[in-house]
Amino acid sequence: MDNSKKAWKLINGGIAVPKGFYATGVQAGIKYKDKYDVALIFSEVQAQAAGVYTRNLVKAHPLYLTQRHLENGLARAIVINSGNANACVGEFGDQAAFAMAEVAGTFLAVPPEDVLVASTGVIGVEMPLDKVLNGIRMASSLLLNDVVKGIRGQKEEADEGAHRAALAIMTTDTMVKEYAYELSCSQGGVIHLGAIAKGSGMIHPNMGTMLGFLTTDAFLPSEDLQHILREAVEESFNMVTVDGDTSTNDMVVLMANGASGITLSGEDRTNFEEMVKSMCIELAKDIARDGEGATKLMEVSVSGAKTKEDARKIARSICGSSLVKAALFGEDANWGRILTAAGYSGAEFNPNIVDVFLGKLIVAQAGKGVTFSEEEAKVILALKEVHISLNLHSGEEQATAWGCDLTHEYVTINGSYRT
Amino acid sequence: MDNSKKAWKLINGGIAVPKGFYATGVQAGIKYKDKYDVALIFSEVQAQAAGVYTRNLVKAHPLYLTQRHLENGLARAIVINSGNANACVGEFGDQAAFAMAEVAGTFLAVPPEDVLVASTGVIGVEMPLDKVLNGIRMASSLLLNDVVKGIRGQKEEADEGAHRAALAIMTTDTMVKEYAYELSCSQGGVIHLGAIAKGSGMIHPNMGTMLGFLTTDAFLPSEDLQHILREAVEESFNMVTVDGDTSTNDMVVLMANGASGITLSGEDRTNFEEMVKSMCIELAKDIARDGEGATKLMEVSVSGAKTKEDARKIARSICGSSLVKAALFGEDANWGRILTAAGYSGAEFNPNIVDVFLGKLIVAQAGKGVTFSEEEAKVILALKEVHISLNLHSGEEQATAWGCDLTHEYVTINGSYRT
């Protein structure tokens, strides 16, 4: 991560780095033994909060509850389970989601309305609620012990708990996704941003559930957080999938508890916005990189578009193309498929003036192929991160999307996920 | 194929069954040795003709030429090559497409404006035009010899040539797609409909080039043919892919030469419309069944929709879902993925009243899972044709789409197509 020119820096730790935040994870045996599967995130004090949810018409039960609990823009805790999506199971699902909030609230001594709930896993199967609630009870105890350590000035020891939270939200993820940033404010003092995420089923047009949780010890009112989070998600998480192609459970939440004593304004607020966006992009790239069975990260940048929406459509269409993805896996410089995917993206552009690049190597100019070194292309395609870029020469707008290659392993994973 | 209740019947042969039509294929060595790769379809007399083309913004060079040559609604011949798409190669491509029409016209003694051109294969590479033109010359001679046989009353012998045309348009197809129907007219006499098609790269959101050619010895003016063909394509070829997700080369052409002496009207015309649609659906199903690496045909029917467009969107979204396709390959009754794909289709419906069936087995009712026999589900999912149906309980409209499973073999094929 290149933060050299940025006002913030990457530091150790994750979601519990911001002051007053704690997190933990436990093994509740929801689907597998020896897998962390229940996570708790907790703020010592009331926090301003914002959420962005799946656009899928079919929404999991916890999403409705979380939306309701976030109506007042306030939250104290988030409880998350993996191993079961709690989706499409009727009334039981609503009751289960509420029970999760209620038990967490009871054990953490906060009203259930201040608890948000998220789930990820198989759809349409009733969750083993007893196991989940037991997990929440265990997690609450661990977390309260961390709070005690924190009060005694040993908060760093609590970071291990936070790492377990990152583990607990994973499903087919193969890598933990957690980061922490520190921003020195121009008004003096520092604020922190911590985050964890999960997501891995990245093949277009389906996104396996994507969850993201961000915490900060800065203060901003929830309406401002909502605005900042929505903008950040548009440029990050929403650029690893295609509009509307979201799972039933996708959710990103940002909590700001103000424990740093700093209310953001002016330059600091601008930097904070950039920092949130940067964090979301890093997590989104990790999700793309960790696509099921993926061996490569694909980054597609489209410039010279007439409108931002055109640039976004084309970038996502290319990232979502199974033929481009398979060609990437095969390390085949098949730029025709890239141009084809741009062509059916629904965006308006003149195909006869488009340039296509693999890395810095131009492979098509003004809409037609140019002679290029196949060897050089092979080297570029063999990289772990492959950059594809298009210049539409039609305007000033640009967008970037992320994806991964399509592999045999993807088919194996998804041919037998449920059973 | 169940034609028992239909006015027409399936008969032997393909594209050259209708009176006055001839077709042949030759091995021109465009990409492979010993592969038929140039096809000619020819009508002894001027024919009315209609065409439907890709909606991709990036269109192959022959499409522009064919659209231009079809402006007057008349055609005598179609020349098709596989092994090279003649797409995205600039001016050379336009010249090559015209040269193909010109050479075919010269050798068949028809104006080049009466020759339509189609290509399929790799994009962005200049076609070996000498080989292609040589192929056209060879094919013309063979075809004219068949015409002579036809005049001498030995037209059946010409059918072998027609079969070679079906072979010549194939790329990664593993099965020949050709049919012929015969319709007894209420006004007396019979008319015929012949067809060939190619298409195989069926994974959403990319369709490897899909070509379809239909011939009839009935007479109908080209505007009527255009209307009938467009309707038929909507319910067939366009239901094995997703709106806009078309390749640069897709084309379906219908020629009617009137050689039967029968001008269609009334009931006969209605039957003809149904027959064209039925033919297109059979070809579309063959294309889905022949999806690259596919082992199963998936048929998704959506009923009870408020609008036809909603039903279409949902059916196609499910057929195009990589997760549904992979689950089908793994024979996993993962109905949650089916409902998820419906949810992000963009269609309006109430997820809480939807029923989902695998074959006749109900797996979800009113939007939530029901207890069903996993064994029975396994049996259904192990079939070569798997039927998925949804009842939205929201209206009277319905639609059907076709797809295939996603397999390891697909990844292998598409990881190394170009090189």
Side-chain angles (χ1 to χ4, degrees):
Chain A
M1 219 176 323
D2 175 23
N3 285 313
S4 51
K5 286 172 196 167
K6 289 165 183 159
W8 62 89
K9 62 176 187 195
L10 180 69
I11 59 174
N12 283 330
I15 187 88
V17 162
K19 274 185 207 163
F21 278 102
Y22 295 86
T24 197
V26 298
Q27 299 181 351
I30 296 172
K31 189 172 174 189
Y32 301 106
K33 281 186 78 160
D34 306 325
K35 157 84 178 82
Y36 287 94
D37 50 12
V38 168
L40 263 185
I41 301 167
F42 179 68
S43 172
E44 271 191 277
V45 294
Q46 189 67 279
Q48 301 288 314
V52 175
Y53 313 94
T54 184
R55 297 179 209 178
N56 198 309
L57 206 61
V58 182
K59 288 181 177 62
H61 304 285
L63 266 77
Y64 291 109
L65 179 122
T66 294
Q67 279 179 302
R68 219 162 49 240
H69 286 191
L70 261 184
E71 270 166 19
N72 64 355
L74 299 172
R76 283 289 299 277
I78 313 173
V79 52
I80 312 125
N81 74 279
S82 58
N84 188 296
N86 193 19
C88 305
V89 290
E91 248 174 64
F92 170 84
D94 293 323
Q95 287 161 3
F98 181 74
M100 288 173 69
E102 197 177 34
V103 169
T106 303
F107 278 72
L108 296 171
V110 302
E113 301 83 57
D114 286 345
V115 181
L116 313 179
V117 180
S119 299
T120 176
V122 66
I123 296 174
V125 177
E126 292 189 2
M127 57 169 29
L129 188 56
D130 285 349
K131 288 183 183 172
V132 174
L133 298 184
N134 257 328
I136 296 172
R137 290 184 196 104
M138 286 193 289
S140 301
S141 299
L142 284 174
L143 195 136
L144 291 172
N145 278 305
D146 283 343
V147 174
V148 171
K149 281 185 202 156
I151 292 168
R152 290 187 175 145
Q154 303 158 320
K155 187 162 185 291
E156 266 95 50
E157 281 183 31
D159 269 355
E160 220 179 295
H163 182 68
R164 287 197 300 268
L167 291 170
I169 66 173
M170 291 164 69
T171 56
T172 49
D173 303 58
T174 63
M175 52 186 269
V176 178
K177 298 159 188 83
E178 61 177 339
Y179 294 107
Y181 290 166
E182 184 177 277
L183 173 66
S184 298
C185 291
S186 60
Q187 60 185 278
V190 295
I191 62 164
H192 301 92
L193 181 70
I196 55 176
K198 73 98 0 189
S200 146
M202 281 313 308
I203 196 171
H204 171 86
N206 286 282
M207 188 159 88
T209 293
M210 198 282 305
L211 298 177
F213 303 101
L214 292 86
T215 55
T216 182
D217 45 20
F219 180 84
L220 265 184
S222 66
E223 311 86 70
D224 294 28
L225 292 177
Q226 186 66 43
H227 177 76
I228 291 170
L229 184 62
R230 187 165 294 284
E231 293 268 301
V233 167
E234 277 300 302
E235 304 273 315
S236 57
F237 296 115
N238 279 350
M239 293 306 284
V240 280
T241 180
V242 171
D243 243 347
D245 293 335
T246 49
S247 95
T248 53
N249 290 59
D250 298 350
M251 185 194 295
V252 182
V253 169
L254 170 58
M255 286 171 80
N257 69 1
S260 65
I262 295 175
T263 298
L264 295 170
S265 65
E267 190 193 339
D268 294 336
R269 176 175 160 151
T270 309
N271 282 333
F272 178 77
E273 285 186 34
E274 284 304 309
M275 180 167 67
V276 170
K277 189 181 289 182
S278 174
M279 177 70 90
C280 288
I281 287 175
E282 288 309 319
L283 294 170
K285 284 170 74 171
D286 277 356
I287 289 171
R289 194 180 277 123
D290 199 13
E292 284 166 355
T295 67
K296 287 173 197 304
L297 174 72
M298 155 163 55
E299 179 171 276
V300 178
S301 298
V302 175
S303 64
K306 218 177 287 174
T307 69
K308 185 90 176 164
E309 197 46 38
D310 281 343
R312 290 167 61 88
K313 278 182 185 166
I314 293 172
R316 286 186 297 197
S317 183
I318 293 167
C319 277
S321 159
S322 296
L323 290 175
V324 171
K325 290 160 76 93
L328 197 64
F329 173 63
E331 300 180 358
D332 180 11
N334 200 324
W335 62 266
R337 291 180 181 173
I338 296 170
L339 212 53
T340 300
Y344 66 64
S345 66
E348 286 291 323
F349 67 98
N350 178 353
N352 298 319
I353 56 172
V354 175
D355 299 338
V356 181
F357 298 82
L358 294 177
K360 294 193 190 308
L361 181 70
I362 190 162
V363 291
Q365 192 161 30
K368 64 180 182 184
V370 295
T371 309
F372 60 88
S373 156
E374 290 279 348
E375 269 172 57
E376 204 175 328
K378 275 274 173 213
V379 170
I380 291 164
L381 290 166
L383 295 173
K384 280 281 157 204
E385 301 200 2
V386 176
H387 295 260
I388 295 170
S389 54
L390 282 79
N391 190 334
L392 306 182
H393 295 295
S394 301
E396 299 297 318
E397 297 295 335
Q398 72 89 34
T400 301
W402 296 275
C404 62
D405 54 347
L406 173 60
T407 67
H408 295 114
E409 191 59 17
Y410 174 86
V411 178
T412 303
I413 294 170
N414 284 297
S416 61
Y417 177 68
R418 196 189 56 114
T419 47
Chain B
M1 217 177 328
D2 175 26
N3 286 312
S4 53
K5 285 171 195 167
K6 290 167 181 158
W8 61 90
K9 63 177 187 195
L10 180 71
I11 60 175
N12 283 331
I15 187 87
V17 163
K19 274 186 206 162
F21 278 102
Y22 294 86
T24 196
V26 297
Q27 300 181 350
I30 296 173
K31 187 171 174 190
Y32 301 105
K33 280 188 78 160
D34 307 324
K35 157 84 178 82
Y36 288 94
D37 51 13
V38 168
L40 263 184
I41 301 168
F42 178 70
S43 171
E44 272 191 279
V45 296
Q46 189 67 278
Q48 302 286 314
V52 176
Y53 312 94
T54 185
R55 297 180 208 176
N56 199 309
L57 205 61
V58 182
K59 289 180 175 62
H61 303 285
L63 265 77
Y64 291 108
L65 178 123
T66 294
Q67 278 179 302
R68 217 162 50 239
H69 286 189
L70 262 182
E71 269 166 20
N72 64 354
L74 299 172
R76 283 290 298 278
I78 312 173
V79 52
I80 312 126
N81 75 278
S82 59
N84 188 296
N86 193 19
C88 304
V89 290
E91 248 174 64
F92 171 86
D94 293 324
Q95 288 161 1
F98 182 73
M100 288 172 68
E102 196 177 36
V103 169
T106 303
F107 278 71
L108 296 171
V110 303
E113 301 83 57
D114 285 345
V115 181
L116 313 179
V117 180
S119 298
T120 177
V122 66
I123 296 174
V125 177
E126 293 189 1
M127 59 171 26
L129 189 56
D130 284 348
K131 287 182 183 173
V132 174
L133 298 183
N134 257 330
I136 296 172
R137 290 183 196 106
M138 285 193 289
S140 301
S141 298
L142 284 174
L143 195 137
L144 292 172
N145 277 304
D146 284 343
V147 174
V148 171
K149 281 185 200 157
I151 293 167
R152 289 182 176 150
Q154 304 159 321
K155 187 161 185 296
E156 266 95 52
E157 282 183 33
D159 268 354
E160 220 178 296
H163 182 67
R164 286 197 300 268
L167 291 171
I169 66 173
M170 291 164 69
T171 56
T172 50
D173 302 58
T174 63
M175 51 186 271
V176 178
K177 299 161 187 80
E178 61 176 338
Y179 294 108
Y181 290 165
E182 184 177 277
L183 172 67
S184 296
C185 292
S186 60
Q187 61 185 280
V190 294
I191 62 163
H192 301 91
L193 180 70
I196 56 175
K198 75 96 5 186
S200 146
M202 280 310 310
I203 197 173
H204 171 83
N206 287 283
M207 187 157 90
T209 293
M210 199 282 304
L211 298 176
F213 304 101
L214 292 86
T215 54
T216 181
D217 45 20
F219 180 84
L220 264 183
S222 66
E223 311 86 71
D224 295 28
L225 292 177
Q226 187 66 41
H227 176 77
I228 291 169
L229 183 63
R230 187 165 294 284
E231 294 266 302
V233 167
E234 276 301 303
E235 304 273 316
S236 57
F237 296 115
N238 280 350
M239 293 307 284
V240 280
T241 181
V242 171
D243 244 346
D245 293 336
T246 49
S247 96
T248 53
N249 290 58
D250 298 350
M251 185 193 296
V252 183
V253 169
L254 170 59
M255 287 172 78
N257 70 1
S260 66
I262 295 175
T263 298
L264 295 170
S265 64
E267 189 193 342
D268 294 336
R269 178 177 160 149
T270 308
N271 282 332
F272 178 75
E273 284 186 35
E274 285 303 310
M275 178 166 69
V276 170
K277 188 181 292 183
S278 173
M279 177 70 91
C280 288
I281 287 176
E282 287 310 318
L283 294 170
K285 285 170 74 170
D286 277 356
I287 289 171
R289 192 180 279 122
D290 199 12
E292 283 166 356
T295 68
K296 289 172 196 304
L297 174 72
M298 156 162 56
E299 180 171 276
V300 177
S301 298
V302 174
S303 62
K306 218 177 288 172
T307 70
K308 185 89 177 166
E309 196 46 36
D310 281 343
R312 289 167 63 87
K313 278 182 186 166
I314 293 172
R316 285 186 297 195
S317 183
I318 294 167
C319 276
S321 159
S322 296
L323 290 175
V324 171
K325 291 161 75 92
L328 198 65
F329 173 63
E331 302 180 358
D332 179 11
N334 199 324
W335 61 267
R337 291 180 182 175
I338 296 170
L339 213 52
T340 301
Y344 66 64
S345 67
E348 287 291 323
F349 67 100
N350 177 354
N352 298 317
I353 56 172
V354 175
D355 299 337
V356 182
F357 298 82
L358 293 178
K360 292 191 193 309
L361 181 70
I362 189 161
V363 291
Q365 192 161 30
K368 65 180 180 184
V370 294
T371 309
F372 60 86
S373 156
E374 289 279 348
E375 269 172 59
E376 205 175 326
K378 276 272 172 212
V379 171
I380 291 164
L381 290 167
L383 295 172
K384 280 280 155 205
E385 301 199 4
V386 176
H387 296 261
I388 295 170
S389 53
L390 282 79
N391 190 334
L392 306 182
H393 295 295
S394 302
E396 300 296 318
E397 297 295 337
Q398 72 88 37
T400 301
W402 296 274
C404 61
D405 53 348
L406 172 61
T407 68
H408 294 114
E409 190 59 18
Y410 173 86
V411 178
T412 303
I413 293 170
N414 284 297
S416 61
Y417 177 68
R418 196 190 55 114
T419 45

